[in-house]
Amino acid sequence: MRECEFFCLVAAAVAWGAPLPASVFHHRDGNRLVERPLDVGVFLPSRASRARGVRGTSISEGMGSVRTEPVSGLRVTSPATTWAMMGAMLCRDDLVALGDAFVREPMRRGDPPALATIAELAASLEAGRRRGATALREALSLTRTRSRSRKETETRLVLVAAGLPEPSLNHPVVVEGKVVALVDLAYPDRKVGIEYEGEQHLTDPRQWARDIRRYEMLADLEWRIIRVTASDLAQHREELVARVRGALSGGVRPG
């Protein structure tokens, strides 16, 4: 790479460890599935690369910033710039998931600091004319700092789209001044929680045992926990919404 070049778009999002839909990594050429070339950017007036295996992108001055990703040492567009540039490729909900990942605040011991702030996302969006600006603006209004995963974000968006109140994210359950659990999505006044169950919850025996103890403890505290799987989000959204709505219709539960 030339000194003026840096990774951007999909390559930058991957470098930052951000969640992306599988569709951005490939495209169909007839019957073949072709991998996306590496996205390499330059600031104008430098000329974008036309090297084989590279998709060159020219960026106007003032429309982005570049940082060194600390783990890989790669020069990449900043998280806020990366998010704004991805408006050209992603739908609103995928942009929300990407934004949530970038602004995620530390919630547990050892969590890294947020990669960006909501204000930085907004500033990058408004730096100039952006492709996908409408989707970016809608996504920005839905971006939150306490979602720990793409699936948690997806669950929240499904519930809100169905007209349910927006749940609190990673809500701390406190007993005698000590946080004993973080509930993925929660309606604290009703003591209703929603937990996303990834595959690791089923394939890791230690995780499974911890889950059982955790759910028993929450049940003892009079929390009702609704467990959500990938199948619920992909194929049974209406049923998921009905389960949550039914739990909420039980009225306010004792605090």
Side-chain angles (χ1 to χ4, degrees):
M1 293 178 71
R2 296 173 291 164
E3 288 187 5
C4 63
E5 292 177 322
F6 46 85
F7 291 107
C8 61
L9 290 164
V10 173
V14 170
W16 289 116
L20 292 174
S23 58
V24 303
F25 297 104
H26 303 87
H27 71 273
R28 286 208 167 272
D29 183 5
N31 293 324
R32 294 188 307 130
L33 198 61
V34 180
E35 287 189 354
R36 181 181 179 84
L38 283 173
D39 294 290
V40 175
V42 295
F43 288 116
L44 293 171
S46 297
R47 298 185 62 181
S49 175
R50 295 184 178 179
R52 184 177 181 181
V54 167
R55 185 186 298 255
T57 299
S58 298
I59 303 172
S60 300
E61 287 286 351
M63 287 288 285
S65 60
V66 174
R67 284 167 44 181
T68 298
E69 195 283 313
V71 176
S72 65
L74 297 174
R75 278 171 42 84
V76 298
T77 48
S78 69
T81 298
T82 302
W83 175 81
M85 291 182 67
M86 290 300 291
M89 299 181 59
L90 299 180
C91 69
R92 186 203 70 177
D93 287 5
D94 287 331
L95 288 168
V96 176
L98 185 62
D100 280 1
F102 282 150
V103 305
R104 180 180 301 136
E105 65 185 55
M107 286 171 265
R108 293 187 173 96
R109 183 180 302 173
D111 282 354
L115 293 171
T117 65
I118 291 178
E120 287 171 343
L121 299 187
S124 191
L125 167 58
E126 301 301 337
R129 295 182 63 183
R130 293 286 188 191
R131 292 178 61 189
T134 298
L136 284 164
R137 288 192 178 91
E138 292 178 1
L140 185 65
S141 70
L142 293 166
T143 298
R144 304 291 183 264
T145 63
R146 290 186 63 83
S147 178
R148 288 183 61 87
S149 73
R150 177 184 175 87
K151 291 300 184 182
E152 287 182 21
T153 297
E154 187 177 347
T155 303
R156 168 171 61 93
L157 295 178
V158 166
L159 299 178
V160 172
L164 291 173
E166 181 169 339
S168 299
L169 304 180
N170 284 280
H171 174 76
V173 177
V174 179
V175 176
E176 296 180 352
K178 180 181 178 181
V179 176
V180 296
L182 292 177
V183 179
D184 291 349
L185 301 95
Y187 297 96
D189 59 333
R190 309 294 179 92
K191 284 198 169 183
V192 172
I194 300 101
E195 293 270 303
Y196 181 78
E197 302 284 359
E199 290 185 1
Q200 78 279 4
H201 291 265
L202 302 177
T203 57
D204 183 339
R206 288 178 297 180
Q207 178 67 56
W208 181 246
R210 285 194 296 268
D211 288 345
I212 291 174
R213 292 193 297 270
R214 183 167 177 270
Y215 292 137
E216 288 179 348
M217 179 266 294
L218 288 169
D220 289 342
L221 295 172
E222 299 185 334
W223 277 81
R224 176 173 177 180
I225 300 299
I226 297 171
R227 301 165 74 178
V228 180
T229 66
S231 175
D232 290 321
L233 294 175
Q235 301 167 328
H236 305 290
R237 290 188 172 190
E238 290 185 4
E239 292 92 331
L240 168 60
V241 170
R243 287 160 59 199
V244 175
R245 182 172 282 119
L248 294 177
S249 67
V252 177
R253 301 175 68 176

